Amino acid sequence: MIKGIALGVAGLAAALTTALPVTAQEAVKIGLILPMTGPFASTGRQVSAGAKAYMAAKGDTVAGKKIELVIRDDGGVADQTRRIAQELVVNDGAKVLAGFGLTPLAMAVAPVATQAKIPTVVMAAGTAAITKASPFITRTSGTLPQYSMPVGTWASQNGIKKVVTLVSDYGPGIDAEKWFSKEFKAKGGEVVEAVRVPLQNPDFAPFLQRVRDAKPDAVFVFLPSGVGALFMKQFSDRGLPEAGIKLIATGDVTDDDILNSMGKPAIGTITGHFYATAHESPENKAYVEVFKKVNNDMRPNFMSVGGYDGMALIYNALEKTKGDATGPAFMEAVKGLSWTSPRGPVSIDPDTRDIIQNIYIREVKDVGGELQNVEIQTFANLKDPEKAEAK
Ligand code: DHB
């Protein structure tokens, strides 16, 4: 398996020097690889909609180059992501790769990015280690340590003493569990049990029973975008709210794409994340307006902002390089970029290529008949704590 990847990458490098189509050199082609089908299709739908909203707002030309977006569906399967990435680079002349709805999909492309020196913009996946997997990877979503640590701080300051964690059993879940627990324990809290649930087709019932039996003040949860509605239903059906167990989570659980369908049980949930549709700023007002206009009135969630800002990063970097999309020049230009996003102020950490951003603590409230993540506290300009710790 590993050998197969290595051979594929060596073949790719050889193909690159001989087979690049001439026509592909005229425009800057961006290969956007996303799960457009399968269980994580909402991520693909939102990220691509955000990228399209950016182009609708800012046009399709930057530094004299035409930008061409090519959207390809990997169905959420890592082997597909890698195969599509190679095809886009070798056959279609893509200059930049972007998207990546889940951590394993981003990780599968890292060797391609390194070997072909292709700028690769992670717009959705959130495991801290991703940007370490290739010097050609940068990111406009964020990291789970970034979203989880502030929830630990908030819990310790708001009367919560005893917590059970419940996370999806893969990269981002393990990051979330580690950084919530580390912060919460450092501030005097107790984590009595750490529950991990399968990523694919989870049935939460047996795991929620374990949470209930442990009688904590709160359960801290990470689940990938799109899964929160099913969790919320089972959380409520199994009587955890009545048992006095508060729900605290990363904002992936109360994702704005599905929040409104969760109904009453979601009200009062406390989460940490980088974007809420309800974020109050002129930039976000303009964003929500253009997004809804070009996307059939859909409500934008944080994934869409990862897509929108991914395009902002690409446009800003190309401005700086005067249209040069070759890997080393582009990646140098990315370092230290800053702009005002719909989420608030952001910049790209020159040391890690990860995004520095505000993390907001939000509470789910009924605002005029619609459920919203309403911001109640801001942790300003956070770097990825996992990499800050390693330094
Ligand atoms: C990842 C996927 C998600 O849907 C999410 O909300 C956060 C992280 C991931 O696989 O990295």
Side-chain angles (χ1 to χ4, degrees), residues 23-336:
T23 49
Q25 293 175 353
E26 288 157 10
V28 177
K29 202 176 268 187
I30 301 169
L32 190 57
I33 315 174
L34 289 164
M36 302 302 295
T37 54
F40 300 101
S42 69
T43 296
R45 190 176 70 234
Q46 285 275 350
V47 173
S48 58
K52 285 184 198 159
Y54 189 86
M55 293 185 73
K58 313 281 176 179
D60 64 356
T61 308
V62 59
K65 301 259 174 163
K66 198 155 175 75
I67 304 295
E68 204 180 311
L69 201 59
V70 183
I71 302 174
R72 300 285 302 272
D73 175 19
D74 63 17
V77 179
D79 285 345
Q80 295 293 340
T81 318
R82 186 173 52 244
R83 183 185 59 72
I84 293 168
Q86 292 186 339
E87 274 177 21
L88 281 166
V89 171
V90 176
N91 301 337
D92 301 333
K95 291 288 192 290
V96 178
L97 295 174
F100 314 109
L102 294 156
T103 290
L105 313 182
M107 285 304 204
V109 168
V112 178
T114 302
Q115 195 66 33
K117 299 190 168 60
I118 291 283
T120 299
V121 184
V122 174
M123 295 169 160
T127 301
I130 292 171
T131 42
K132 291 206 292 197
S134 169
F136 293 93
I137 295 183
T138 181
R139 169 155 51 191
T140 54
S141 43
T143 76
L144 266 302
Q146 225 176 11
Y147 324 148
S148 306
M149 199 170 99
V151 183
T153 316
W154 183 90
S156 70
Q157 292 171 349
N158 285 273
I160 294 169
K161 306 238 174 310
K162 190 170 144 183
V163 167
V164 174
T165 60
L166 183 153
V167 302
S168 285
D169 190 5
Y170 78 122
I174 290 159
D175 274 1
E177 177 192 286
K178 174 182 165 187
W179 282 92
F180 168 82
S181 302
K182 191 174 148 78
E183 172 68 4
F184 185 58
K185 288 185 198 163
K187 299 262 155 72
E190 190 189 357
V191 176
V192 290
E193 204 172 334
V195 178
R196 295 179 182 177
V197 304
L199 172 61
Q200 301 291 348
N201 306 313
D203 171 13
F204 298 109
F207 302 105
L208 285 169
Q209 192 57 46
R210 275 172 63 192
V211 174
R212 212 185 147 143
D213 292 347
K215 298 191 167 53
D217 301 319
V219 57
F220 166 79
V221 179
F222 163 80
L223 300 166
S225 179
V227 182
L230 174 66
F231 175 82
M232 198 62 84
K233 182 170 185 330
Q234 296 193 353
F235 181 79
S236 162
D237 287 353
R238 302 198 71 83
L240 274 79
E242 289 77 18
I245 301 171
K246 186 164 182 64
L247 179 58
I248 59 178
T250 65
D252 310 80
V253 176
T254 59
D255 156 5
D256 276 297
D257 192 62
I258 49 175
L259 176 61
N260 213 20
S261 72
M262 292 183 192
K264 269 209 172 117
I267 292 175
T269 304
I270 296 288
T271 62
H273 220 271
F274 66 74
Y275 178 74
T277 320
H279 177 69
E280 286 188 21
S281 73
E283 291 80 13
N284 189 43
K285 192 162 177 277
Y287 174 62
V288 174
E289 208 174 284
V290 70
F291 183 92
K292 288 192 167 176
K293 205 166 109 195
V294 295
N295 295 296
N296 263 329
D297 220 27
M298 182 160 99
R299 190 201 267 201
N301 73 0
F302 67 90
M303 289 294 186
S304 81
V305 176
Y308 183 86
D309 281 333
M311 294 306 289
L313 176 146
I314 293 167
Y315 275 49
N316 288 336
L318 289 174
E319 281 291 354
K320 236 166 121 177
T321 64
K322 304 192 167 51
D324 183 355
T326 55
F330 187 100
M331 295 312 294
E332 204 42 48
V334 159
K335 294 174 186 173

